[in-house]
Amino acid sequence: MTRDRLSPSRLSPSDVFRVGAAGLRARPARVVLSALGIAIGIAAMIAVIGISSSSGAELMRRLDRLGTNLLTVSPGQTMFGTKAELPTTALRMVKRIGSVRTASATGSLDTGVRRTDRIPDTVTGGIAVQAATTELLTTLEGGVSKGTWLNAATEQQPAVVLGSEAASRLGITRTGVRVWMGDRWFTVIGLLGPMPLAPEIERSALVGVPVAERLLGFNGHPTTIYERSADEAVEAVRAVLPRTVNPENPAEVEVSRPSDALAAKAAAAGAFTNLLLGLGAVALLVGGVGVANTMVISVLERRREIGLRRSLGATRGQIRVQFLSESLLLSALGGVAGSAVGALAASGYALERDWPPVVPPWAIGGAIAAALVIGTVAGIYPAMRAARLSPTVALATT
């Protein structure tokens, strides 16, 4: 004669979910406050990653639009530590390089620009006056917001084109007005738009080379040469520029790539992003401590419920699963809510700055996974504590 063996009851995944959710529904205020800590940490991390990704996407869009094939040549220092000088033939030599598509130059002038002749010479407003070749705008791929650029006729006359920042500092918003330069009046014939790869042009007043030599004492030595070449030839051109520009003293020539400055700016922003991510991780950890505290209090308050379930046949493992599932659901609730808030914040910030909104899917998935890990770790101790309660002791608790 065989005896029927009693087998322990089993909880299906749906049962586990219902049991865990029931425990959370009984204390909605506490659940919201506990999940808030997780949500804040997740939202901070998602927002930081989203804003950083959107900024990077905007940088790449700008670089694609502006190009990374622009190189600038400027004088370095002599072996005696004094400022070097580029030869007057430097621009012509650069144009002879086979891969160079276009090249232009500017030369600094020892004068200032003022709205009237009544302003002292010492007041410059931080605006540089430079002689510029007519190809400058083409090389920099810039644009004129108002008026016109220098041409073969106006470069011979006392005419000036103002960079956007220079015009703003002078309070000039239209062409046709006159400014005082080098003890004579110059007529403003154009206002430039933004020049992201050449911010020094934005702060300059630009005149033609011939009139600069005739009226402003320009000696013909360029201070900056701008050149564009084929993308695949940039590094090769960069290598030959110093010896081409100044064959006698190539060490006195400095070559830079303006797009590298934008990339360095992005890298600096990335370091700041890592700091903010660390702060978000700390907030997430604090939220995990809050979840653990909530679950410990829940175990203490529900000892009679635990004892009743144990008396009705629930195993220690099922009690552990019940409280662990509550912790996971609590963390998942905070993770999902925080991901949504963080994604909305990052997208809103990007759209407000006219950036392409980018929130990497891996960031959302990783954030929710991190919340679940935090929930698991936070729920282990309370679940084990609940499972160790003796049914008789638990039922006797008042």
Side-chain angles (χ1 to χ4, degrees):
M1 184 174 178
T2 61
R3 290 185 177 178
D4 293 335
R5 286 190 172 183
L6 295 176
S7 59
S9 61
R10 297 182 181 275
L11 289 177
S12 66
S14 60
D15 293 330
V16 172
F17 178 81
R18 283 197 300 270
V19 169
L24 297 182
R25 284 197 302 268
R27 299 162 181 82
R30 185 181 298 171
V31 166
V32 170
L33 292 176
S34 299
L36 186 61
I38 296 287
I40 290 174
I42 293 295
M45 297 178 74
I46 293 293
V48 168
I49 293 174
I51 291 173
S52 177
S53 299
S54 299
S55 175
E58 171 64 14
L59 173 64
M60 295 308 298
R61 188 170 70 173
R62 289 177 63 189
L63 289 178
D64 288 341
R65 184 174 65 249
L66 299 172
T68 58
N69 58 344
L70 177 68
L71 295 177
T72 62
V73 181
S74 57
Q77 290 186 330
T78 66
M79 60 170 44
F80 302 106
T82 59
K83 186 71 172 179
E85 208 172 41
L86 296 180
T88 57
T89 59
L91 180 59
R92 294 198 301 272
M93 297 299 290
V94 170
K95 290 181 177 180
R96 291 181 181 179
I97 301 175
S99 301
V100 172
R101 293 177 176 174
T102 177
S104 58
T106 58
S108 296
L109 301 174
D110 188 19
T111 187
V113 55
R114 292 171 290 280
R115 283 299 303 267
T116 74
D117 56 350
R118 304 296 182 184
I119 299 175
D121 294 343
T122 55
V123 180
T124 64
I127 303 172
V129 179
Q130 301 195 74
T133 58
T134 55
E135 303 94 339
L136 180 65
L137 208 59
T138 302
T139 305
L140 295 178
E141 297 183 357
V144 178
S145 61
K146 292 182 181 179
T148 184
W149 175 243
L150 298 169
N151 54 40
T154 54
E155 71 171 351
Q156 306 284 341
Q157 305 300 323
V160 60
V161 177
L162 299 177
S164 57
E165 183 63 27
S168 175
R169 293 180 185 180
L170 290 171
I172 295 176
T173 58
R174 60 184 178 88
T175 60
V177 300
R178 297 193 304 170
V179 292
W180 185 256
M181 295 170 54
D183 297 330
R184 67 176 54 240
W185 293 102
F186 278 67
T187 302
V188 177
I189 62 171
L191 304 178
L192 296 179
M195 296 282 187
L197 292 181
E200 66 278 4
I201 300 299
E202 296 180 350
R203 302 186 295 270
S204 298
L206 305 165
V207 299
V209 173
V211 73
E213 292 176 338
R214 190 175 71 251
L215 301 178
L216 299 176
F218 181 46
N219 60 10
H221 291 276
T223 51
T224 305
I225 296 175
Y226 303 90
E227 72 81 28
R228 282 191 187 271
S229 54
D231 290 334
E232 62 275 8
V234 171
E235 292 303 325
V237 172
R238 187 172 189 168
V240 301
L241 273 175
R243 192 165 293 278
T244 302
V245 169
N246 193 346
E248 295 182 357
N249 300 293
E252 296 179 359
V253 178
E254 293 183 353
V255 180
S256 60
R257 193 175 187 176
S259 58
D260 291 344
L262 291 178
K265 183 179 179 181
F272 187 63
T273 296
N274 292 334
L275 174 62
L276 293 178
L277 279 177
L279 295 177
V282 171
L284 182 59
L285 181 61
V286 172
V289 173
V291 171
N293 183 58
T294 297
M295 295 307 301
V296 168
I297 295 175
S298 179
V299 170
L300 294 175
E301 291 179 344
R302 297 162 62 189
R303 283 181 291 184
R304 299 194 65 179
E305 174 193 334
I306 296 169
L308 181 60
R309 289 203 61 209
R310 288 295 311 279
S311 300
L312 295 176
T315 64
R316 291 178 181 268
Q318 290 170 350
I319 298 297
R320 278 194 296 268
V321 168
Q322 175 188 349
F323 282 89
L324 194 58
S325 66
E326 288 186 24
S327 178
L328 283 171
L329 286 173
L330 185 57
S331 298
L333 179 64
V336 171
S339 297
V341 172
L344 288 174
S347 300
Y349 184 85
L351 291 173
E352 191 271 334
R353 297 185 64 109
D354 198 25
W355 293 352
V358 178
V359 180
W362 62 262
I364 294 178
I368 294 177
L372 293 177
V373 170
I374 291 291
T376 301
V377 174
I380 288 177
Y381 171 72
M384 294 180 62
R385 181 169 180 172
R388 285 199 302 264
L389 282 175
S390 168
T392 55
V393 174
L395 287 172
T397 304
T398 57

